[in-house]
Amino acid sequence: RSRQEMKMKVAYVLNSPNAANYKVGEMILPQLENDAHGVEVVGIFFFDDNTMLLQKGNPKGERLAKVAKDKGMLLMMCDQCANQRGLADKDGDNYTPRGTVEGVAVGCFPDLYGALSGNMPDQVISL
């Protein structure tokens, strides 16, 4: 197996204040852009104000969307968190992203589990 195939797969859950802007935007994103993060990130789930990083036009969010597309990484926002911040529209029980960078999904934990089921992480890390 190649070195890439043997990398541990992780998913991040961003639930502490400023996790997206600082921990992802200033530390993890540059490492991902330089292939220096050391693990394969299969997904990032955004809660609360962390969803704002994914707003269309946010420089860090636009960079993250490019990395996610290139690496096949899931970017998902909490549906209710996104709706409360104007980043999703609600139609019945379903939510649709609005005004976000490309490739963003919106949902709750069952949706996250389903989306990651084809590329399961070895570890889920809460930041």
Side-chain angles (χ1 to χ4, degrees):
R1 292 179 2 159
S2 74
R3 187 170 179 257
Q4 181 67 23
E5 288 177 286
M6 293 173 31
K7 278 190 177 179
M8 179 173 56
K9 295 180 178 184
V10 302
Y12 292 116
V13 175
L14 308 181
N15 61 357
S16 64
N18 210 28
N21 182 56
Y22 182 66
K23 293 171 185 164
V24 172
E26 297 293 327
M27 295 187 285
I28 294 171
L29 177 57
Q31 292 171 356
L32 290 172
E33 289 172 327
N34 293 316
D35 290 320
H37 192 52
V39 296
E40 179 184 349
V41 180
V42 296
I44 305 177
F45 192 77
F46 296 75
F47 277 108
D48 304 318
D49 286 342
N50 289 304
T51 60
M52 298 306 292
L53 185 87
L54 299 176
Q55 187 173 32
K56 188 166 190 63
N58 180 305
K60 292 175 186 174
E62 296 286 353
R63 287 170 47 209
L64 184 59
K66 181 183 182 320
V67 168
K69 182 179 180 181
D70 292 346
K71 297 183 181 294
M73 180 190 318
L74 173 70
L75 299 178
M76 183 179 278
M77 302 180 295
C78 162
D79 50 15
Q80 293 183 39
C81 300
N83 185 53
Q84 291 170 2
R85 289 159 181 82
L87 295 176
D89 292 320
K90 184 176 181 182
D91 181 17
D93 288 335
N94 298 314
Y95 293 83
T96 306
R98 173 172 45 103
T100 63
V101 298
E102 282 189 49
V104 174
V106 63
C108 58
F109 274 113
D111 302 309
L112 174 64
Y113 303 145
L116 289 175
S117 66
N119 194 14
M120 290 292 291
D122 299 305
Q123 297 285 323
V124 176
I125 299 168
S126 176
L127 297 175

